[in-house]
Amino acid sequence: MSAQILALPVAPTPVSDVREVVSQGLLHIHFQPIVHMAEGRVFGHEALIRPQSPSPWTTPDTLFAAARQCGWTIELELECLRLALQAWARSAERGWLFVNLSAQALVQ
């Protein structure tokens, strides 16, 4: 009886560094509508960042916590801002765009 060698698919290696998540383009922007309830219309949109697989961080909170641990918070914030502005310019949405930034990133 001969032995068979099975080739198993190799799962992608998780990205272990915040800088790699950015350089590999694993951040995605979503625009959440902000509604003026009294008028029943969209007043603006808030830019939200979401890490994508194979990033080991599945939420913005865990991603930013990792950035704080490696001293890369401002750089991550500025990259999120850049991505939000690029995506907004390409989108068909109009009106106000709201982006969350720390005071340190704003000064930069």
Side-chain angles (χ1 to χ4, degrees), residues 29 76-86 99 101 105:
I29 298 289
L76 178 59
E77 285 187 73
L78 294 176
E79 178 63 14
C80 292
L81 173 61
R82 186 186 70 75
L83 292 170
L85 294 175
Q86 282 182 340
V99 179
L101 288 174

Side-chain angles (χ1 to χ4, degrees), residues 37-105:
M37 296 300 287
E39 296 179 11
R41 66 177 178 85
V42 174
F43 171 77
H45 291 81
E46 179 181 12
L48 303 173
I49 195 75
R50 296 293 181 261
Q52 296 181 332
S53 183
S55 168
W57 303 288
T58 57
T59 68
D61 291 341
T62 58
L63 176 65
F64 276 92
R68 275 190 297 282
Q69 288 179 345
C70 68
W72 217 62
T73 307
I74 292 174
E75 291 84 349
L76 178 59
E77 285 187 73
L78 294 176
E79 178 63 14
C80 292
L81 173 61
R82 186 186 70 75
L83 292 170
L85 294 175
Q86 282 182 340
W88 186 253
R90 289 190 309 264
S91 78
E93 301 293 346
R94 295 294 168 248
W96 291 93
L97 177 63
F98 295 86
V99 179
N100 296 307
L101 288 174
S102 68
Q104 293 88 359

